[in-house]
Amino acid sequence: MTTPKKRSWEGHIINNSNTTTTQQTQGQDRLAAMAATDATDAVAAAAAADTGNSSSSTILSIFETFRSELDEHHDRRERIVKASRDITALSKKIIFSLQRLRTVNAPIPPAIAKENQTRFDQILELFRSIVPDISGLNAWRYQRQVSPGIQEFIEALSFQHYVQTQRLISRDEVAAKLPPEVLVTEEDYLMGIFDLTGELMRFAVTMLSTGGQITKKKKENKTMQSAISNMEGDSQREEEDTPLRELPAAQANIVVDLRGMRAQFESLNVPRRHSSNMMRDMYKKVEVMQTSVEKVERAAYGILVRGSERPSGWTPDLSTSTVEEVESY
């Protein structure tokens, strides 16, 4: 039995072999298109994955850079703070050594001079150790961390300079003692000199209480005063002949120098825009400085004025050990 042949709508006989070939070709084309689509999707997905990985790696590298910079910043800051504290401790030891002296404008004893020079050398080495950390822009970035050490160093150096020469050291002279990379600002210099007044107060009070003898100077009587005293009698002449009491020159000069420093500090006028950051401690230090100078003035007053009211050779009466009882109410 023969297989009926397929005909088209027009009545033509359809070749089965051609139809099969066409269908196979179309199927292969569809498979190829699907494969190409899958390949394109795979490439796009791979590209997207690569883009995401590259973006995340870029962000991670940026954060790693920030982390390393912060670690360096904290390490640098800790080194500067530690060096500043060591400088402060050594400077205080220098000041304590100088407080044992009782004279000014004279050479320092060799033992104290050698001891202080060793400490100054150690301070210089500490400053040199942090020079790489405070060079360039970092000099201002870490100014607040190194400033306490610089101020204490200025206080110790100016105190020794005053004891040796009875002069106030200048900012240029301070800068010459330090490496060029260490920034000595006007604020640090002024704060160090403010602190110097406190040490001079202790030094002056100790000198006034233990050093030197009170000298007596006879008053100069003018012709008119002599005539008046002759008219008023012997009592007036005795009062005129009473000698004046004077401090030794070294002690008197310290009092005069402190009063001069107070006058200069009180004349400072800091603009409002600087009073909140650079000179934030100035007004507090001005009050402390004024109190220190007043203590020296009261000590000199007690020796000169109150001391002159006591008779020559006066000593407190300590012979009676019993104390009289005061009648209570």
Side-chain angles (χ1 to χ4, degrees):
M1 183 176 180
T2 60
T3 304
K5 297 182 179 180
K6 294 182 179 181
R7 295 179 180 273
S8 64
W9 292 99
E10 291 83 5
H12 301 291
I13 297 173
I14 299 174
N15 191 357
N16 292 331
S17 61
N18 293 335
T19 302
T20 303
T21 303
T22 302
Q23 291 177 351
Q24 291 177 353
T25 303
Q26 292 177 353
Q28 291 176 356
D29 292 340
R30 285 195 297 270
L31 291 175
M34 293 175 62
T37 303
D38 293 339
T40 303
D41 294 340
V43 171
D50 293 339
T51 303
N53 292 333
S54 61
S55 300
S56 61
S57 62
T58 303
I59 295 174
L60 287 176
S61 63
I62 292 174
F63 275 100
E64 288 177 356
T65 303
F66 290 160
R67 182 178 60 187
S68 61
E69 289 180 358
L70 285 176
D71 291 340
E72 292 177 0
H73 162 68
H74 290 302
D75 293 340
R76 191 182 302 114
R77 184 178 180 276
E78 288 299 324
R79 288 194 298 269
I80 294 173
V81 170
K82 184 179 183 303
S84 180
R85 290 174 180 172
D86 294 339
I87 292 169
T88 300
L90 290 171
S91 300
K92 288 185 180 297
K93 291 180 180 179
I94 294 173
I95 293 172
F96 295 155
S97 298
L98 294 173
Q99 287 290 358
R100 302 199 306 244
L101 303 178
R102 295 294 177 266
T103 58
V104 294
N105 199 11
I108 298 176
I112 297 178
K114 182 179 179 181
E115 184 180 357
N116 286 348
Q117 186 59 44
T118 301
R119 289 168 179 157
F120 275 122
D121 293 339
Q122 294 175 357
I123 291 174
L124 186 59
E125 289 299 324
L126 288 171
F127 275 117
R128 288 173 178 168
S129 66
I130 60 174
V131 162
D133 297 328
I134 58 175
S135 299
L137 294 178
N138 289 336
W140 293 104
R141 184 180 185 183
Y142 302 104
Q143 180 64 25
R144 293 189 63 180
Q145 283 72 39
V146 73
S147 180
I150 294 177
Q151 293 180 18
E152 199 70 29
F153 170 75
I154 292 174
E155 180 182 357
L157 183 63
S158 59
F159 189 24
Q160 177 168 302
H161 186 78
Y162 182 84
V163 170
Q164 289 177 323
T165 63
Q166 204 167 358
R167 288 179 51 253
L168 188 63
I169 194 170
S170 65
R171 188 174 71 91
D172 294 335
E173 291 174 330
V174 173
K177 299 289 185 180
L178 296 174
E181 295 81 3
V182 178
L183 186 63
V184 181
T185 63
E186 290 83 358
E187 292 78 18
D188 288 338
Y189 174 74
L190 286 177
M191 295 301 106
I193 300 302
F194 268 120
D195 296 335
L196 172 65
T197 57
E199 299 303 329
L200 288 180
M201 178 270 295
R202 298 182 184 91
F203 188 79
V205 170
T206 305
M207 283 188 63
L208 290 171
S209 60
T210 61
Q213 297 292 330
I214 301 299
T215 59
K216 296 182 179 181
K217 180 181 179 182
K218 190 174 182 179
K219 291 183 179 180
E220 296 179 357
N221 295 328
K222 296 182 180 180
T223 305
M224 183 65 69
Q225 293 177 346
S226 299
I228 294 174
S229 62
N230 291 331
M231 294 174 61
E232 292 181 351
D234 295 338
S235 60
Q236 183 67 23
R237 285 197 299 271
E238 290 178 359
E239 183 179 354
E240 291 292 337
D241 293 337
T242 303
L244 294 174
R245 297 167 62 87
E246 289 186 348
L247 291 173
Q251 299 177 2
N253 289 337
I254 293 181
V255 179
V256 173
D257 292 340
L258 281 172
R259 298 183 71 178
M261 292 173 65
R262 178 180 62 184
Q264 294 296 324
F265 279 130
E266 289 176 346
S267 64
L268 288 176
N269 184 17
V270 180
R272 185 180 297 274
R273 63 180 179 274
H274 295 322
S275 60
S276 60
N277 45 22
M278 291 190 298
M279 304 290 284
R280 60 189 180 278
D281 298 331
M282 175 181 171
Y283 298 104
K284 184 186 298 183
K285 288 184 179 290
V286 166
E287 294 179 359
V288 175
M289 179 270 302
Q290 291 172 339
T291 303
S292 299
V293 178
E294 289 173 0
K295 288 181 180 179
V296 177
E297 290 176 337
R298 284 196 296 268
Y301 167 80
I303 292 175
L304 292 177
V305 180
R306 301 296 298 177
S308 63
E309 297 176 357
R310 302 187 180 98
S312 178
W314 176 88
T315 57
D317 186 8
L318 302 176
S319 58
T320 58
S321 58
T322 59
V323 180
E324 296 181 0
E325 295 182 0
V326 179
E327 184 179 358
S328 60
Y329 292 99

